[in-house]
Amino acid sequence: MKDFFKKVQVSSFLSADSRLTRHLNARDLVALGIGAVIGTGIFILPGHEAAQHAGPAVAIAFLLAAVVSGMVGMAYAEFSSAMPVAGSAYSFGSVIYGEVIGWIIGWGLLLEYFLAVSAEATGFASYFNNNILDAIGIHLPKAVQAGPLEGGMINLSAVFIVLIVALILYQGANLSKRIENFAVILKVAIIVIFIVIGIFYVKTENYVPFYPQKFHSAPWGIGGISTAAATVFFAFIGFDALAANSAETKDPGKNVVKGIIGTVVIAVILYVSFSLVLTGMVNYKYLNVDDPAAYALKVVGLNAWNKLITLGALIGIFTAMITMLLGGSRLLYALGRDGLLPDAMGSVHTKKMIPDKAIIISTIVAAFFAGLIPLMELASLINAGTLIAFAFISFGIIPLRKRKDIVNNGFKMPLYPVLPILSGLLSIYFIVMLPTNTKIMVSIWIIIGLLVYSFYGIKHSKLQQKK
């Protein structure tokens, strides 16, 4: 067993990924990143976390999550520069820590990606059912329109939108890239319009108290903000998907870091501004609803603008699903490529040059969870998988710099080794701040992953066979 803790050679990944086409530039990556980040995270989470954990200080929670995500993002960028391969943190972890740790990271990220698509789909269904179907007089039975805060029998709209996104991805990367680039501009414009208009309806009394006393839990009285920040990491997982596409990026040493940093900077400006305007328009106590942005506009009497924000939400969430399903399918492809999952997962379509089987399996799993599990339960589980990867990648910069066989002439994380250690410790802190049930469920997921590795991965690992 100890042989499987040996480091995997980067060349093992590079040779396998030669079948993929490098077609993404920095602008495409920013579009993909914003496509993932500006979705359910901005249109639903600010209201829920304000009502449940932080009040108007939810803006601070988003800022904290963005700062940590930015630091970890630089670690991802250095890894992508040094190792421009598919699989993101899984591949990076396998090279730095060995295959067992790489598998654990990959297994956790599978949870992140699949559930992220499902969570986005649930958010899409919420806005679509409440603000589109209801407006034209179509009222779905409760059993087939489960919202993000409670469950029903099956969320039919969520399943349907997952299938549409999968169909687009199956047509190849160029189509999804064109849709993503156009939609990102449109949805950012709509969010900016909401912020500008909403400022005129802000009531300063809604900010008092800015951080309500009832949320002042340990440690140091910032437990509410910390819990909210731990939850909203779900909103900043887009750059991980960017790293997952390193094998399809032109000049990844330069373009991946531009994509990641550009995504985080734009996202934090929009999230903090959006949260402040939202909690200023409506008292935080009333924002624990399925569609807080649309609800806020209704409260202040802007029904016409309500339709615009609904359009922005639907576009935003739709493009987020494209990015996350793209990233999840690439990770599943990487695991199949290396023999840790069945070989079919690592196949590439001969004409479209996409991991077709991985896309199909990712779609089935995401649609299943989207139909059956409420959004807020999904979000907590997503964050756990994300933060585990954050911690490993942050600390991994230290052994990466010591590897003489890995030459990196591109981006390197600044303030080494302080910044990598700090971002790793902060990731662990936010894991601790997640709800207890979430930590238990993720522990069970990791145990299942270790069993899969023990009974299947060890016997079929192509990486170990190459040694």
Side-chain angles (χ1 to χ4, degrees):
M1 181 68 181
K2 66 179 181 179
D3 186 55
F4 286 83
F5 284 95
K6 289 183 178 179
K7 310 301 184 291
V8 176
Q9 298 301 311
V10 180
S11 58
S12 300
F13 295 124
L14 290 173
S15 59
D17 288 340
S18 62
R19 297 173 294 171
L20 300 175
T21 304
R22 293 190 182 275
H23 60 93
L24 299 173
N25 56 34
R27 186 180 64 181
D28 296 327
L29 290 177
V30 171
L32 282 171
I34 296 299
V37 170
I38 308 299
T40 294
I42 196 167
F43 290 108
I44 292 181
L45 288 185
H48 178 269
E49 292 306 309
Q52 294 292 320
H53 297 124
V58 67
I60 296 177
F62 275 109
L63 182 60
L64 287 174
V67 169
V68 176
S69 295
M71 289 192 291
V72 179
M74 287 189 283
Y76 270 93
E78 177 167 343
F79 268 103
S80 296
S81 178
M83 293 179 264
V85 297
S88 185
Y90 151 69
S91 297
F92 304 154
S94 296
V95 172
I96 295 301
Y97 298 108
E99 188 175 273
V100 174
I101 300 300
W103 166 257
I104 292 174
I105 296 173
W107 187 250
L109 287 177
L110 276 182
L111 183 71
E112 171 195 320
Y113 281 118
F114 290 158
L115 296 189
V117 176
S118 304
E120 297 288 356
T122 306
F124 183 98
S126 176
Y127 270 88
F128 184 73
N129 294 341
N130 294 342
N131 296 282
I132 301 296
L133 293 185
D134 286 356
I136 61 178
I138 299 177
H139 305 287
L140 296 177
K142 184 67 176 177
V144 295
Q145 59 165 328
L149 305 180
E150 56 182 10
M153 292 293 292
I154 186 171
N155 195 332
L156 193 61
S157 298
V159 173
F160 186 64
I161 194 61
V162 171
L163 298 179
I164 291 177
V165 169
L167 183 62
I168 291 173
L169 288 180
Y170 203 79
Q171 302 311 307
N174 286 330
L175 176 60
S176 60
K177 183 173 70 174
R178 288 197 299 268
I179 293 175
E180 191 89 44
N181 289 344
F182 170 75
V184 162
I185 295 173
L186 184 59
K187 70 178 177 180
V188 169
I190 292 174
I191 291 171
V192 171
I193 290 173
F194 171 83
I195 293 170
V196 172
I197 292 176
I199 288 175
F200 294 99
Y201 294 87
V202 167
K203 297 179 180 178
T204 55
E205 57 265 30
N206 286 332
Y207 292 134
V208 182
F210 190 73
Y211 182 40
Q213 180 67 37
K214 65 178 180 178
F215 298 133
H216 291 199
S217 58
W220 311 298
I222 62 170
I225 291 178
S226 295
T227 299
T231 302
V232 302
F233 268 104
F234 164 62
F236 292 96
I237 59 178
F239 65 75
D240 182 80
L242 301 188
N245 288 288
S246 296
E248 296 168 84
T249 299
K250 303 173 185 176
D251 194 2
K254 295 180 180 179
N255 287 329
V256 172
V257 66
K258 291 178 181 178
I260 289 175
I261 300 303
T263 295
V264 173
V265 170
I266 294 172
V268 70
I269 293 172
L270 292 177
Y271 268 113
V272 173
S273 302
F274 190 94
S275 299
L276 288 172
V277 170
L278 180 67
T279 53
M281 292 173 68
V282 180
N283 188 280
Y284 76 92
K285 297 176 184 177
Y286 305 106
L287 290 175
N288 193 30
V289 294
D290 293 353
D291 49 353
Y295 172 76
L297 291 169
K298 288 179 184 177
V299 169
V300 299
L302 298 177
N303 292 322
W305 291 105
N306 165 274
K307 304 306 177 188
L308 182 64
I309 198 66
T310 295
L311 176 63
L314 294 177
I315 294 173
I317 295 171
F318 183 76
T319 54
M321 291 177 63
I322 290 177
T323 301
M324 299 316 297
L325 191 58
L326 180 68
S329 63
R330 270 40 176 188
L331 175 59
L332 194 62
Y333 150 79
L335 294 171
R337 170 200 67 190
D338 300 336
L340 300 178
L341 289 177
D343 288 344
M345 299 299 97
S347 67
V348 175
H349 195 283
T350 54
K351 292 183 178 180
K352 297 180 180 179
M353 302 306 291
I354 58 172
D356 51 340
K357 301 295 192 306
I359 291 176
I360 293 172
I361 297 300
S362 299
T363 301
I364 293 172
V365 175
F368 175 80
F369 285 115
L372 298 177
I373 303 179
L375 184 145
M376 297 318 302
E377 293 182 23
L378 291 169
S380 293
L381 288 170
I382 293 165
N383 292 326
T386 301
L387 288 165
I388 289 171
F390 278 11
F392 276 113
I393 293 303
S394 295
F395 291 128
I397 292 296
I398 296 174
L400 174 64
R401 294 281 182 96
K402 296 178 180 180
R403 289 284 291 269
K404 302 299 183 182
D405 58 322
I406 301 176
V407 179
N408 179 14
N409 295 319
F411 176 80
K412 292 186 178 181
M413 194 175 185
L415 301 178
Y416 173 88
V418 176
L419 205 55
I421 293 174
L422 179 60
S423 60
L425 291 175
L426 286 171
S427 298
I428 293 174
Y429 168 75
F430 285 115
I431 291 174
V432 173
M433 294 307 299
L434 286 169
T436 301
N437 287 343
T438 298
K439 288 179 281 192
I440 292 174
M441 294 178 69
V442 169
S443 298
I444 294 173
W445 175 257
I446 291 175
I447 291 172
I448 293 173
L450 288 172
L451 291 175
V452 171
Y453 180 77
S454 298
F455 290 101
Y456 185 90
I458 289 179
K459 297 179 183 178
H460 298 87
S461 173
K462 296 177 182 178
L463 298 176
Q464 297 301 329
Q465 292 170 8
K466 292 179 181 180
K467 292 182 178 179

